Amino acid sequence: FFHRYLTFLLKIFTMGTCCCAAATASRGTSQDQINDANISKHMKSEHEIHAHHIILLGAGDSGKTTLLKQMRKIYGATDKMPGAEQQMIREAVIGYMRVLCTQSVDLNVAIDEKNEEHRNFFINELSPSYAEDFNVETVARMKALWSDHGIQETYERRREYQLADNVDYFFDGRLDDIASKNYEVSFDDFVRVRVRTTGFVSEKFHKTVKEEIHEFVFTDVGGQRSERSKWMNMVHEDIDVVLYVVAISEYDLVCFEDGTTKRLDEALNLFQKVMEHGFCTGKTVTLFFNKFDLFEEKLKDPNAQTIDKFYDDFPADKDPRNVDDVVEYIYDRFLAVYTNVLPENTNAPHCHRTTAVQTEQIDILMTDIEGDLVRGRLLTVGF
C-alpha cells in the first residue's frame, strides 16, 4: 500500500509540474521572455568584472604619461610617492640646469662673470648620478644661475633646442624642498617631472557602477621612434577607446630624434600609422589637444612665432593668434588623415582641449569617457 501511495503522489507531482510549465509558456509573451533572459544574464554577471580598455597613443613628450599619473591620483593610488621618485626628480632638476648651461654656451649667450664657475660645474663636474650632487651648495648654484640674465635668455630661446616643460615650476620655488633630507615628493612634483615611457605600461582601476564592478585598463605606450616597434603590432581587438594625445603647443618645435621634423608633423604621421595598423578601426577615437595652457600663452606672446610661419596652408582669412582658428586648422589636419584611412567611417574623432597637469579637468573628461563605456555595457545587457 505504501509503495502504491508513493507512486500516486509522484504522478500528481509530475503532472502538476508539466501543467505549470505549459501554463507559464502559454502566458508569456516574446517580450517577457526577452526580459527574463536579460535579467538572468544580468544576474549571472552580477559578480563579474567588466573590463574596458583605453589606450593612450601619441608622439613623445605629448603628455600621455602625465594623464596616466592623473588617473592614479583620481583613483587614490598616489597617497604616498615611492622613495625612488625623489632620486628621479633630483636628477631631472639638475639635468634641466645642465641643459640650460650647455645651451647658453652653444648659443653664445654671455652670463655674469661671477656665475661662470657655477656654469662650469654643471657642464663638467657633475657626478655620474646627478642626484648625489643635490645638496644645499648645489641649490645655491642653481638659484644664482636661474636668476642670471644669460640663463634667462637661454630659457626664453628654448624652442631652439630640447628642454622639458615645467622647468620654471621647479626653479621658481621647489629647490629648497627638494634638497631637504625630509623631502617627500608632492603630487605636483610627480606630475610635472618628465619621464620617458619605454615599451608600454598598463594599469588597472576599478569602479562600481549600478552594482557592477567595472575595470578600466589604461595602457600608456612609449611615443619615441625607438619605442614604437615594441607596441605597434600589439593585439588591439580588445581596445575600446583610443586617446590620441597631441602637444598642441609644440607646433613650432622639432623632434629630438632628428632635430628637423616638426613635432606636429610627427604627430600627424604617427596618427596615420596607428590607424593603418588598425588601432582605430571600430573604436571610439578621441583627440586630446594637450598642453593647452602653454599653447594659449604662446599665442599671446608677441615674440613667439605663429603657426602660419611653419605651415603655408594655414588659411589666409584666419588669425594665427586666435585660439579657435588655430585649433580648427590643426583638427582639420587630423580629420583629413582619419577620413583618408577610414573613408567609410562617419564618426569623426572627438576633440578635447586639455592641460594634463590639471587634475580636476582630467577627472571630468575621464569620468565622461568612462560613463560612455559603462552606458554602452548596460545597453548590451538591455538596461
Side-chain angles (χ1 to χ4, degrees):
F1 171 79
F2 183 67
H3 177 71
R4 290 196 301 272
Y5 180 71
L6 286 177
T7 302
F8 173 75
L9 289 177
L10 180 62
K11 288 181 178 179
I12 292 176
F13 176 76
T14 304
M15 291 173 62
T17 302
C18 292
C19 289
C20 288
T24 300
S26 63
R27 287 197 306 268
T29 65
S30 59
Q31 184 60 49
D32 290 333
Q33 294 172 10
I34 293 172
N35 290 339
D36 289 344
N38 285 337
I39 292 172
S40 298
K41 185 177 181 181
H42 177 66
M43 291 176 64
K44 288 180 181 179
S45 65
E46 184 176 2
H47 301 293
E48 294 177 1
I49 296 178
H50 306 289
H52 310 278
H53 296 265
I54 302 169
I55 190 167
L56 302 168
L57 298 178
D61 294 328
S62 59
K64 301 182 301 298
T65 302
T66 304
L67 288 168
L68 186 57
K69 289 178 180 179
Q70 291 287 14
M71 297 312 299
R72 294 173 190 163
K73 181 176 184 180
I74 290 167
Y75 280 92
T78 55
D79 293 337
K80 185 79 172 177
M81 296 294 116
E85 303 291 353
Q86 295 180 359
Q87 178 172 335
M88 178 187 69
I89 289 174
R90 286 169 174 161
E91 288 184 348
V93 172
I94 289 182
Y96 299 156
M97 182 53 71
R98 187 174 191 274
V99 170
L100 287 168
C101 290
T102 302
Q103 291 300 323
S104 69
V105 173
D106 292 346
L107 296 173
N108 294 314
V109 177
I111 67 171
D112 290 343
E113 185 177 350
K114 64 181 181 180
N115 292 325
E116 288 283 359
E117 189 271 331
H118 298 327
R119 181 166 69 174
N120 182 67
F121 170 80
F122 283 99
I123 295 176
N124 299 312
E125 299 179 18
L126 286 173
S127 303
S129 174
Y130 293 170
E132 296 176 4
D133 291 308
F134 211 107
N135 51 43
V136 175
E137 180 181 354
T138 303
V139 167
R141 292 178 184 274
M142 285 191 284
K143 287 181 177 180
L145 287 165
W146 183 242
S147 61
D148 188 287
H149 66 88
I151 294 299
Q152 282 296 310
E153 179 184 340
T154 304
Y155 175 69
E156 292 299 325
R157 295 174 60 179
R158 58 191 178 278
R159 68 160 302 273
E160 300 177 39
Y161 56 93
Q162 305 293 332
L163 183 68
D165 299 316
N166 301 310
V167 166
D168 55 340
Y169 164 81
F170 290 102
F171 288 135
D172 281 341
R174 296 298 299 145
L175 294 179
D176 290 328
D177 284 344
I178 296 172
S180 171
K181 293 181 180 179
N182 299 320
Y183 170 55
E184 291 189 3
V185 178
S186 70
F187 181 75
D188 283 339
D189 294 345
F190 174 65
V191 79
R192 284 173 170 80
V193 71
R194 171 76 177 98
V195 180
R196 286 199 170 95
T197 302
T198 58
F200 58 91
V201 177
S202 293
E203 295 201 29
K204 300 177 181 179
F205 307 99
H206 295 89
K207 179 184 290 186
T208 301
V209 181
K210 294 186 181 297
E211 300 182 356
E212 286 192 337
I213 300 174
H214 292 265
E215 179 181 77
F216 298 96
V217 184
F218 287 83
T219 300
D220 175 28
V221 304
Q224 288 73 34
R225 294 176 184 176
S226 60
E227 298 297 324
R228 295 171 192 171
S229 61
K230 300 176 183 178
W231 55 263
M232 188 63 78
N233 294 314
M234 68 185 295
V235 176
H236 45 70
E237 283 77 9
D238 291 335
I239 295 172
D240 299 297
V241 175
V242 174
L243 299 183
Y244 193 85
V245 187
V246 182
I248 193 172
S249 63
E250 298 178 351
Y251 63 82
D252 60 338
L253 302 182
V254 295
C255 297
F256 80 93
E257 286 98 336
D258 60 18
T260 57
T261 304
K262 292 191 285 285
R263 292 194 184 187
L264 180 55
D265 287 345
E266 185 79 355
L268 286 161
N269 293 337
L270 179 58
F271 186 57
Q272 179 169 336
K273 288 181 181 178
V274 299
M275 290 194 63
E276 290 173 346
H277 276 72
F279 280 91
C280 301
T281 304
K283 320 294 183 188
T284 297
V285 180
T286 299
L287 297 171
F288 273 18
F289 284 173
N290 197 35
K291 302 185 182 181
F292 207 80
D293 56 335
L294 302 178
F295 171 69
E296 290 180 305
E297 290 177 9
K298 185 170 288 186
L299 294 191
K300 293 176 183 177
D301 182 359
N303 297 317
Q305 292 184 290
T306 51
I307 195 167
D308 57 323
K309 301 297 189 296
F310 303 92
Y311 294 92
D312 296 336
D313 61 343
F314 185 83
D317 60 340
K318 300 292 184 179
D319 182 0
R321 291 201 180 275
N322 180 276
V323 169
D324 294 333
D325 286 350
V326 179
V327 168
E328 181 182 3
Y329 167 76
I330 294 176
Y331 176 77
D332 286 345
R333 296 286 300 270
F334 281 94
L335 181 60
V337 172
Y338 185 85
T339 54
N340 182 57
V341 179
L342 297 176
E344 298 179 358
N345 196 328
T346 58
N347 296 321
H350 304 290
C351 177
H352 294 288
R353 307 175 182 191
T354 62
T355 299
V357 296
Q358 295 180 2
T359 305
E360 184 177 354
Q361 181 197 60
I362 300 305
D363 189 7
I364 293 171
L365 286 175
M366 289 303 186
T367 298
D368 288 343
I369 291 171
E370 292 169 356
D372 288 342
L373 289 171
V374 171
R375 283 189 289 273
R377 153 67 194 163
L378 293 176
L379 287 172
T380 61
V381 297
F383 284 87

